[in-house]
């Protein structure tokens, strides 16, 4: 059983995590909620959710659960620190937790790279200035953002109250034919139950905040998991091992007088 830890700000779409735990095999997802002073999408408020002190205070319960990695499940609470600042944030979290750590913002970067995508579109519930900063963060990672659509919501509670039709309207407005992948960064948005439907609607992979956060936790723990109901990023099993030679072939070579596989020389200077 692989145990992954997540720090989630407040209480909005955290029910995405038990849903993912059910869909994944032998993976335990432990969520600890961090404090939120105010629920609004102002940049100052969002950045306060991700201070080193606040994140460090949330790791004790995760340590007791024996987690193998920790992910800070907040896009805005990480990308607003900028590329370098977000790295410093996760480094401090790793030191506090004693295990590898990351954040949702880096989870998006790694997921886009795993899909080998060159261009993305962003469907954000945030106000326009916050959505633009997410696009800037992706640009820092070398990811081309074709289009960004900002819904202009004022709070996480508003995002958590959205239904599937509202999410569909947002992604359709954000989509462009040349975009390889659609990104929905807000972790307060319920998306896990709808990822495959959104992918059918758009005809391309869809990456969402809570979904990629779990993928990131697995990556840090060096663990693969498969569930096509969690979208294209989870749809392929790990490559099977290479075919094994017929039983006894290796033994025969090893005991023969010829130089076979076991007799090859290696040269460290090459």
């Amino acid at each position: 059983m692989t145990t992954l830890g997540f720090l989630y700000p407040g209480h909005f779409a955290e029910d995405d995590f038990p849903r993912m735990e059910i869909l994944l095999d032998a993976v335990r997802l432990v969520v600890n909620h961090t404090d939120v002073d105010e629920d609004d999408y102002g940049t100052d408020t969002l950045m306060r959710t991700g201070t080193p002190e606040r994140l460090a205070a949330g790791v004790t319960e995760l340590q007791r659960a024996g987690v193998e990695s920790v992910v800070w499940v907040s896009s805005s609470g990480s990308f607003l620190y900028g590329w370098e600042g977000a790295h410093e944030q996760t480094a401090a979290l790793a030191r506090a937790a004693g295990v590898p750590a990351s954040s949702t913002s880096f989870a998006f970067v790694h997921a886009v790279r795993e899909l080998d995508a060159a261009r993305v579109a962003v469907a954000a519930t945030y106000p326009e200035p916050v959505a633009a900063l997410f696009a800037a963060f992706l640009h820092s990672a070398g990811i081309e953002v074709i289009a960004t659509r900002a819904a202009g919501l004022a709070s996480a509670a508003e995002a958590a109250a959205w239904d599937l039709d509202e999410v569909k309207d947002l992604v359709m407005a954000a989509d462009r034919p040349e975009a390889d992948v659609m990104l929905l960064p807000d972790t307060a948005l319920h998306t896990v139950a709808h990822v495959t439907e959104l992918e059918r609607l758009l005809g391309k992979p869809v990456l969402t905040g809570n979904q990629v956060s779990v993928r990131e936790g697995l990556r840090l723990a060096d663990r693969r998991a498969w569930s096509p109901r969690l979208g294209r990023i989870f749809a392929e099993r790990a490559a099977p091992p290479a075919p094994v030679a017929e039983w006894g072939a290796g033994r025969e070579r090893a005991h023969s007088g010829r130089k076979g596989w076991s007799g090859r020389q290696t040269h460290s200077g090459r």
Side-chain angles (χ1 to χ4, degrees), residues 83-122:
W83 185 253
E84 295 300 328
H87 274 95
E88 293 170 2
Q89 181 189 58
T90 56
L93 178 57
R95 288 193 296 269
V99 295
S102 188
S103 67
T104 304
S105 294
F106 289 122
F108 273 110
V109 172
H110 294 140
V112 169
R113 290 174 178 170
E114 185 171 342
L115 290 171
D116 198 25
R119 299 167 298 274
V120 306
V122 173

Side-chain angles (χ1 to χ4, degrees), residues 2-188:
T2 300
T3 302
L4 310 177
F6 302 90
L7 294 175
Y8 188 95
H11 296 266
F12 299 103
E14 69 269 26
D15 49 325
D16 273 355
F17 289 86
R19 183 184 295 272
M20 287 185 281
E21 186 176 78
I22 291 170
L23 295 175
L24 296 171
D25 181 42
V27 176
R28 180 182 176 217
L29 309 181
V30 181
V31 179
N32 192 21
H33 299 273
T34 60
D35 293 333
V36 176
D37 295 333
E38 302 173 70
D39 176 25
D40 71 72
Y41 280 164
T43 55
D44 290 343
T45 301
L46 292 171
M47 289 187 71
R48 284 199 300 274
T49 67
T51 61
E53 298 78 16
R54 183 159 290 178
L55 298 186
V59 302
T60 302
E61 292 300 320
L62 300 182
Q63 290 171 322
R64 290 173 180 165
V67 301
E68 298 172 44
S69 63
V70 174
V71 178
W72 165 226
V73 187
S74 175
S75 296
S76 55
S78 49
F79 70 72
L80 286 175
Y81 283 80
W83 185 253
E84 295 300 328
H87 274 95
E88 293 170 2
Q89 181 189 58
T90 56
L93 178 57
R95 288 193 296 269
V99 295
S102 188
S103 67
T104 304
S105 294
F106 289 122
F108 273 110
V109 172
H110 294 140
V112 169
R113 290 174 178 170
E114 185 171 342
L115 290 171
D116 198 25
R119 299 167 298 274
V120 306
V122 173
T125 53
Y126 312 129
E128 176 60 42
V130 177
L133 289 171
F134 180 58
F137 184 89
L138 297 174
H139 280 299
S140 297
I143 297 171
E144 183 180 357
V145 180
I146 296 296
T148 302
R149 182 75 172 191
L153 300 188
S155 69
E158 289 184 45
W162 267 26
D163 60 22
L164 177 58
D165 287 339
E166 289 168 302
V167 177
K168 284 181 175 180
D169 288 344
L170 179 61
V171 298
M172 289 296 291
D175 191 31
R176 297 293 183 275
E178 61 270 31
D180 301 315
V181 183
M182 175 63 66
L183 275 56
L184 288 87
D186 196 346
T187 58

Side-chain angles (χ1 to χ4, degrees), residues 179-239:
D180 301 315
V181 183
M182 175 63 66
L183 275 56
L184 288 87
D186 196 346
T187 58
L189 194 64
H190 292 87
T191 54
V192 166
H194 312 309
V195 172
T196 55
E197 186 169 349
L198 294 174
E199 289 188 338
R200 285 193 296 269
L201 175 68
L202 300 179
K204 64 188 62 176
V206 171
L207 299 175
T208 76
N210 294 329
Q211 168 216 47
V212 299
S213 294
V214 170
R215 190 70 177 184
E216 184 76 346
L218 289 164
R219 185 188 70 83
L220 292 175
D222 197 24
R223 168 80 153 82
R224 302 288 294 186
W226 174 83
S227 176
R229 291 172 63 183
L230 291 177
R232 197 85 56 86
I233 193 67
F234 278 99
E236 294 185 6
R237 294 183 185 272

